[in-house]
């Protein structure tokens, strides 16, 4: 995603002339003054004009809004969504994600996380904008990321909400799709009475949903036992609750000495893209040696989760992919 603050006039003209599309743009707000403050860059507001020019030129724009309570939520968010809707169809899809805050924020702008009440308010704003777009344009193109629903304590929307999952890699619908794929993968199997114990280590936010997926597997494999361990993020801070920012040292600290069953599963987004290394430079091999347990890295997708639980370990072909789970603004500077 680009903020457009480093684009020159020549860059803008070239993008339009070459019709470079789609463009992934971090928008955050359409209020020029507020955007400058949030990005800590005086060009933050000025560059919004580029967005309008791209829209007028017919370029397809995939937008992202990181919602920071007290900054770009409430009336500001309503205004932003209204402004973006007016740029449709060039504004194709916009994902909204909650700001993530690490403990490394000394000297930075004070921000507060999205709590349950705020998550519900934000979902309400998005739903209102979606309904208006549906009436005006015949489709809805604003999406609240899964995190908002998990924080709100509300069920995830049905699949029709996601319109084919155009913002999947931005954390929109990832868990809904996972649940659907798990059910499909289990339905394709006969089931049996095998006995197996499985441990899944994941982030605190998604842990209850992953536990639900394990329950689905047990519908055909009743003798499989499982434990989903929600890892507390001591490295980046307890406010970080997603699996994509869990480090090897937190896994070692919180899993050591525990009964981990026959196999231990972790999601691949804990690892650096294309590598078997966590964010703190600990490798999968080192983690396995520390825990005395072979680690199965689960690729995104429900079928791979089912396979990781049921199929022989030596038949597993692991694929390392970087998948979005929480916005990169977790180390936010000025909002």
């Amino acid at each position: 995603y680009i903020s457009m603050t480093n684009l020159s006039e020549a860059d803008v003209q070239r993008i339009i002339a070459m019709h470079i599309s789609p463009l992934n743009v971090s928008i955050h707000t359409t209020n020029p003054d507020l955007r400058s403050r949030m990005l800590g860059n005086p060009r933050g507001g000025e560059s919004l004009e580029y967005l309008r020019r791209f829209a007028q030129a017919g370029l397809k724009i995939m937008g992202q809004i990181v919602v920071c309570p007290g900054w770009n939520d409430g009336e500001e968010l309503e205004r932003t969504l209204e402004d973006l809707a007016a740029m449709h169809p060039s504004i194709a899809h916009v994902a909204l994600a909650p700001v993530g805050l690490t403990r490394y924020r000394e000297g930075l702008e004070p921000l507060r996380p999205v709590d349950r009440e705020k998550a519900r308010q934000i979902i309400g704003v998005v739903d209102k904008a979606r309904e208006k777009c549906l009436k005006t344009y015949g489709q809805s193109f604003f999406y609240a990321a899964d995190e908002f629903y998990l924080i709100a304590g509300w069920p995830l929307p049905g699949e029709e909400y996601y319109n084919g999952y155009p913002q999947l890699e931005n954390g929109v619908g990832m868990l809904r799709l996972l649940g659907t794929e798990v059910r499909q993968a289990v339905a394709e199997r006969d089931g049996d009475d095998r006995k197996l114990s499985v441990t899944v280590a994941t982030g605190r936010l998604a842990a209850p949903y992953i536990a639900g997926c394990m329950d689905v597997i047990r519908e055909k494999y009743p003798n499989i036992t499982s434990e989903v361990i929600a890892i507390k993020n001591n490295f980046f801070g307890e406010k970080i609750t997603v699996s994509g920012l869990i480090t090897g040292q937190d896994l070692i600290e919180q899993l050591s000495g525990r009964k981990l069953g026959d196999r231990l599963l972790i999601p691949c987004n804990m690892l650096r893209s294309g590598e078997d290394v966590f964010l703190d430079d600990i490798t999968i091999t080192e983690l396995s040696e520390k825990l005395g347990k072979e680690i199965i890295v689960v690729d995104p997708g429900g079928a791979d989760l089912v396979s990781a639980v049921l199929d022989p370990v030596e038949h597993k072909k692991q694929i390392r992919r970087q998948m979005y789970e929480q916005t990169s603004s977790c180390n936010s500077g000025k909002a």
Side-chain angles (χ1 to χ4, degrees), residues 94-140:
V94 179
L96 292 88
V99 66
L101 304 174
T102 74
R103 62 188 178 91
Y104 300 104
R105 295 191 48 77
E106 185 176 349
L108 298 179
E109 197 75 38
L111 295 175
R112 65 178 190 268
V114 174
D115 58 19
R116 173 168 292 194
E117 180 181 357
K118 181 58 63 177
R120 294 180 174 184
Q121 290 175 1
I122 292 167
I123 292 172
V125 171
V126 176
D127 285 347
K128 182 179 177 181
R130 285 174 57 86
E131 291 175 7
K132 186 174 181 179
C133 289
L134 188 60
K135 293 178 181 178
T136 304
Y137 304 106
Q139 61 178 302
S140 299

Side-chain angles (χ1 to χ4, degrees), residues 24-247:
N24 296 318
V25 182
S26 289
I27 301 169
H28 307 319
T29 177
T30 55
N31 180 331
D33 292 337
L34 178 58
R35 192 167 193 266
S36 293
R37 290 170 54 208
M38 292 187 72
L39 296 179
N41 188 325
R43 297 201 65 211
E46 298 173 11
S47 59
L48 284 173
E49 180 59 29
Y50 299 154
L51 187 69
R52 296 183 179 90
R53 288 171 62 182
F54 293 150
Q56 290 169 359
L59 302 185
K60 183 179 180 180
I61 298 167
M62 309 284 282
Q64 178 198 59
I65 296 173
V66 177
V67 183
C68 304
W71 288 76
N72 61 338
D73 58 337
E75 292 182 0
E76 288 289 350
L77 182 58
E78 292 178 7
R79 165 184 164 170
T80 295
L81 298 186
E82 185 174 341
D83 289 345
L84 294 176
M87 298 183 198
H88 184 76
S90 286
I91 295 290
H93 306 287
V94 179
L96 292 88
V99 66
L101 304 174
T102 74
R103 62 188 178 91
Y104 300 104
R105 295 191 48 77
E106 185 176 349
L108 298 179
E109 197 75 38
L111 295 175
R112 65 178 190 268
V114 174
D115 58 19
R116 173 168 292 194
E117 180 181 357
K118 181 58 63 177
R120 294 180 174 184
Q121 290 175 1
I122 292 167
I123 292 172
V125 171
V126 176
D127 285 347
K128 182 179 177 181
R130 285 174 57 86
E131 291 175 7
K132 186 174 181 179
C133 289
L134 188 60
K135 293 178 181 178
T136 304
Y137 304 106
Q139 61 178 302
S140 299
F141 41 88
F142 296 121
Y143 306 93
D146 296 356
E147 295 103 311
F148 283 118
Y149 289 91
L150 297 179
I151 295 171
W154 286 350
L156 294 173
E159 285 196 275
E160 66 280 357
Y161 177 93
Y162 301 101
N163 296 323
Y165 301 99
Q167 287 275 4
L168 186 63
E169 292 191 11
N170 217 346
V172 176
M174 186 177 294
L175 291 178
R176 166 57 65 198
L177 182 59
L178 175 68
T180 299
E181 291 177 342
V182 165
R183 287 197 173 276
Q184 291 173 343
V186 171
E188 294 172 357
R189 294 175 180 251
D190 295 329
D192 55 47
D193 59 355
R194 75 183 71 181
K195 293 184 178 180
L196 188 70
S197 60
V198 179
T199 300
V200 183
T202 188
R204 292 161 60 195
L205 197 61
Y209 198 85
I210 301 300
C213 291
M214 301 303 294
D215 290 339
V216 171
I217 296 174
R218 268 192 295 276
E219 291 175 5
K220 282 194 173 180
Y221 299 88
N223 291 328
I224 288 182
T225 60
S226 65
E227 181 182 12
V228 178
I229 300 177
I231 301 297
K232 183 174 69 172
N233 200 318
N234 294 321
F235 187 92
F236 287 108
E238 293 186 29
K239 293 179 181 179
I240 300 298
T241 58
V242 298
S243 62
L245 293 175
I246 289 174
T247 59

